[in-house]
Amino acid sequence: MTETLTIPRPDDWHLHLRDGAMLQAVLPETARHFGRAIIMPNLVPPVVTGDQAAAYRDRILAALPEGMAFEPLMTLYLTEDTDPEDVAAAHASGLVKAVKLYPAGATTNSASGVRDFEKVRPVLEKMAEIGLPLCTHGEVTDHDIDIFDREAVFIDRVLDPIRKSTPGLRVVMEHITTKNAADYVASQDKDLGATITTHHLIINRNHILVGGIKPHYYCLPVAKREEHRLALRAAATSGDKRYFLGTDSAPHTDPNKESACGCAGCFTATNTMSLLAHVFEEEGALDKLAGFASEHGPAFYGLPVSGGSLTLSKGDAPVKFPEKIESGDGPVTVFDPGFDVYWRAE
């Protein structure tokens, strides 16, 4: 017996495409199912200005295979030298949909991020004025803060003070990983949303560490205790419009993941929609999947729902996903949930 579910074509509100050969390899994996994606700007060097964002957008579109429809939604990397007027101009042109805040040193290619938040206050005030969202990597980087506590401390020390001092600033808490973050979003009545990744709905920190280190489950923010994973599941499947899909699909070659100092990131673009159907079915919330994957994100960003649709079909045999995607830089391992999945996305 085959079950089917058709939803509006989903969007990914947090995506890493990299550049060059890696971009060529991974872009089709997203464009196959997603209409649009918020593109992360943490290249080397980072995408800081409107001109750089336009050039990156052109490279993405040039890499798109013929016959595929996909719209990259560009972001700027916030630095202490970011020009508020350049941000405003890039937004006014329709090119840039958000600005990304990385605390310096928080994750991959974040060395150019913010250390002194007072230095970016003029940019944040301009963004509040023009309605441009701020996307946050929500972790502090203080060496005395345990890595499993960095998200909760960020909310108290950085995020809440920024929001209180900048009325009207619209904020997306990206890839939340804790009950603390889910509860904070639920406690706010406006100007705040949160993305939740596919892998944080599936793995907790035991999956990374028990029975040997699993480098392809290592990501930042790192997966937390089971109670937090369950809180994320409850938020994602609740139907609350403040939560929406941002995969944080982050390709790294196998040698860079399986090394003495492995890179952080899970590559989920290939199988995210099948995995989400599995998760939402487990939670008895298949009727909420369209909201989470297709509707809540556009509503927060003030955009229409993507055109077209995606059909998910559940069959009797498990879907065989590719184990790896080959790129000119090397192989990239596709996220393995550790269980059979019967939902196919077409």
Side-chain angles (χ1 to χ4, degrees):
M1 181 70 69
T2 299
E3 299 177 52
T4 62
L5 173 68
T6 299
I7 63 174
R9 194 177 185 197
D11 299 308
D12 186 347
W13 299 97
H14 183 131
L15 177 68
H16 296 272
L17 287 176
R18 313 303 187 202
D19 214 344
M22 186 63 77
L23 167 62
Q24 294 274 352
V26 302
L27 177 58
E29 301 303 299
T30 287
R32 186 176 298 118
H33 296 150
F34 293 90
R36 299 169 295 200
I38 285 281
I39 308 300
M40 291 297 103
N42 59 331
L43 304 182
V44 180
V47 178
V48 174
T49 69
D51 287 345
Q52 291 169 339
Y56 187 26
R57 182 179 187 275
D58 289 346
R59 296 197 299 276
I60 294 169
L61 292 176
L64 189 65
E66 185 175 353
M68 280 190 161
F70 174 75
E71 181 182 2
L73 305 175
M74 307 310 295
T75 64
L76 297 179
Y77 188 119
L78 182 63
T79 75
E80 293 175 5
D81 297 318
T82 294
D83 179 359
E85 295 309 319
D86 181 71
V87 170
H91 172 61
S93 73
L95 172 69
V96 166
K97 303 302 184 186
V99 172
K100 179 62 183 277
L101 166 64
Y102 290 102
T107 189
T108 303
N109 299 338
S110 62
S112 300
V114 176
R115 298 182 188 277
D116 184 349
F117 288 92
E118 283 302 312
K119 292 183 178 179
V120 298
R121 182 169 299 282
V123 180
L124 301 180
E125 290 174 349
K126 175 59 71 172
M127 292 170 61
E129 176 188 329
I130 63 179
L132 182 62
L134 176 71
C135 295
T136 63
H137 180 108
E139 293 186 288
V140 297
T141 56
D142 310 58
H143 292 298
D144 61 328
I145 303 299
D146 188 281
I147 192 170
F148 293 104
D149 298 329
R150 288 179 171 184
E151 182 172 280
V153 173
F154 178 86
I155 295 170
D156 292 336
R157 290 189 184 176
V158 179
L159 180 60
D160 200 52
I162 283 177
R163 295 185 66 239
K164 287 178 178 176
S165 64
T166 319
L169 179 65
R170 310 194 74 232
V171 176
V172 179
M173 297 175 66
E174 295 194 308
H175 47 48
I176 62 171
T177 62
T178 60
K179 183 177 186 297
N180 311 68
D183 289 347
Y184 180 74
V185 174
S187 72
Q188 308 300 302
D189 59 0
K190 63 178 181 177
D191 296 330
L192 185 65
T195 59
I196 302 176
T197 77
T198 312
H199 54 280
H200 284 119
L201 295 173
I202 292 172
I203 62 171
N204 61 34
R205 65 188 190 180
N206 279 4
H207 291 90
I208 305 172
L209 299 170
V210 172
I213 295 173
K214 313 298 193 306
H216 295 287
Y217 286 162
Y218 172 59
C219 56
L220 286 174
V222 69
K224 306 299 194 299
R225 292 179 182 272
E226 177 68 357
E227 66 183 288
H228 298 294
R229 186 185 75 93
L230 295 179
L232 297 180
R233 279 201 171 207
T237 61
S238 66
D240 189 322
K241 294 182 178 180
R242 290 170 289 192
Y243 306 104
F244 40 95
L245 174 64
T247 67
D248 194 18
S249 183
H252 295 284
T253 63
D254 285 356
N256 284 329
K257 289 289 291 180
E258 300 166 2
S259 70
C261 188
C263 293
C266 298
F267 181 67
T268 58
T270 301
N271 53 3
T272 271
M273 291 312 302
S274 293
L275 298 180
L276 287 179
H278 179 98
V279 168
F280 275 66
E281 182 183 36
E282 281 191 333
E283 299 296 321
L286 277 173
D287 60 321
K288 303 294 197 306
L289 180 57
F292 180 71
S294 309
E295 297 166 355
H296 300 169
F300 186 90
Y301 278 89
L303 296 171
V305 174
S306 274
S309 61
L310 180 77
T311 296
L312 295 147
S313 302
K314 184 181 181 184
D316 295 327
V319 180
K320 299 297 184 184
F321 301 110
E323 292 183 7
K324 299 182 187 296
I325 300 298
E326 296 297 331
S327 81
D329 294 332
V332 176
T333 292
V334 175
F335 178 79
D336 178 0
F339 50 75
D340 288 338
V341 177
Y342 293 86
W343 288 93
R344 183 183 306 277
E346 297 172 323

